[in-house]
Structure formats: C-alpha cells, structure tokens
Amino acid sequence: MNPLWKQKELVEFCKAKGVHLSAYSPLGANGTKWGDNRIVECDVLEEIAKARGKSTAQVALRWVYEQGASIISKSFNKQRMRENLDIFDWCLTEEESNKIIQLPQHKGVTLASILGPHDLVLEIDADL
Ligand SMILES: NC(=O)c1ccc[n+]([C@@H]2O[C@H](COP(=O)([O-])OP(=O)(O)OC[C@H]3O[C@@H](n4cnc5c(N)ncnc54)[C@H](OP(=O)(O)O)[C@@H]3O)[C@@H](O)[C@H]2O)c1
C-alpha cells in the first residue's frame, strides 16, 4: 500500500471488519528489481515535500500512516532510516491529501515482477 497503490477497497473492508492493516513496500520497493522509483520520483509528492521541507519518501510514509495503517519500510541507510521515522510530528493538509487521492493508481509490485514472467508456474490439483 502506498500513494500510488492505495488499496481503497481493502482499506474499507479492513476498517469495517476491525482488521488492522500493515503496508509493506510503502515506498514502492524503490531501487529493488521488483519495485520502481515512481513514489520517490512522483512530481506531486515532490511538490508537497518541497513546500513542507520534507522528503518525497516522508510524504508517502506520512500519507500511509494517516490512512491508519502500520508502515513496513526498509532501508540499509542510517540517515534514511532516521528520515523515515521522522513523520509523526506533522500532518498533511486537506489540500495535500486531496492531491494525493487524485494520483493515478499503478500496481508496482506484482508476482511476475518478483518471480519473472517465465518462472511462474501454477499447478492446480483437481483433487484439492
Ligand atoms: N509480506 C510480503 O509479501 C512482503 C512483500 C514485500 C516486502 N515485504 C517486506 O516489507 C519490507 C519493506 O518492503 P520494501 O523493501 O519493498 O519497502 P520500501 O520501503 O517500499 O522500499 C525500500 C527501498 O526504498 C529505499 N528507501 C528507503 N527509505 C528511503 C528514503 N527515505 N528515500 C529514498 N529511498 C528510500 C531503500 O533503499 P536503501 O536501503 O538504500 O535506503 C530500498 O531500496 C521489507 O522488509 C520486505 O521484506 C514483505
């Protein structure tokens, strides 16, 4: 779950059922072979980040947090780890949230992007 893959239906379903949601790849698995840079290079997020003196990643993480989800982000870099934790003493304005809501959706992490299109073999046992 991230600003470019909002999981709207899942979020509503979980809210209705009292299920807490955890968001993996909130930065779109930026820099990995199965993810992409769409979040950290998103113009709208960058514009909000610049205006607020934050990073694009912080805006994305703050948005996920404001949806009531836990964040499962990953960094091997100490400075980015600190940056990613520094999202709890500020909030997005209504105008900023509205801009994020309008971002077109793109499923970044797919099974095929992890396994490769030719490695994916599904076997269905008719007896199961
Ligand atoms: N259960 C599942 O099915 C599932 C699926 C996917 C992922 N996960 C788990 O969820 C966790 C997070 O997933 P993910 O690694 O895909 O998440 P992510 O947080 O969306 O992406 C991590 C990538 O973003 C970079 N990054 C981190 N902070 C940044 C920042 N402030 N600015 C710019 N780039 C930044 C990291 O690089 P640096 O390390 O260089 O900072 C890393 O390449 C992982 O532990 C993963 O194992 C679980």
Side-chain angles (χ1 to χ4, degrees), residues 24-30 40 57 72-77 80 83-84:
Y24 72 71
S25 299
L27 301 175
N30 158 51
V40 287
I72 309 177
S73 190
K74 167 252 139 191
S75 178
F76 284 125
N77 177 290
R80 285 196 284 278
E83 180 185 315
N84 296 349

Side-chain angles (χ1 to χ4, degrees), residues 1-12 21 24-26 28 36 38-39 42 44-45 60 63-64 67 96-110:
M1 177 186 174
N2 61 54
L4 299 183
W5 192 244
K6 297 189 183 73
Q7 301 275 18
K8 191 170 173 283
E9 276 180 39
L10 180 63
V11 171
E12 281 166 9
L21 199 62
Y24 72 71
S25 299
D36 59 49
R38 280 190 178 85
I39 299 279
C42 170
V44 171
L45 298 179
W63 179 84
V64 171
Q67 309 316 299
E96 289 164 345
S97 296
N98 285 339
K99 282 185 186 166
I100 295 174
I101 286 167
Q102 286 165 38
L103 286 170
Q105 295 298 283
H106 173 89
K107 188 172 191 173
V109 183
T110 61

Side-chain angles (χ1 to χ4, degrees), residues 42-88:
C42 170
D43 290 348
V44 171
L45 298 179
E46 202 176 325
E47 186 191 303
I48 296 170
K50 270 192 188 149
R52 300 296 299 271
K54 304 290 176 191
S55 70
T56 310
Q58 284 176 315
V59 172
L61 295 174
R62 179 69 204 186
W63 179 84
V64 171
Y65 176 68
E66 290 187 11
Q67 309 316 299
S70 306
I71 297 166
I72 309 177
S73 190
K74 167 252 139 191
S75 178
F76 284 125
N77 177 290
K78 226 182 221 181
Q79 194 185 326
R80 285 196 284 278
M81 284 182 198
R82 287 209 180 90
E83 180 185 315
N84 296 349
L85 281 168
D86 189 17
I87 59 158
F88 299 110

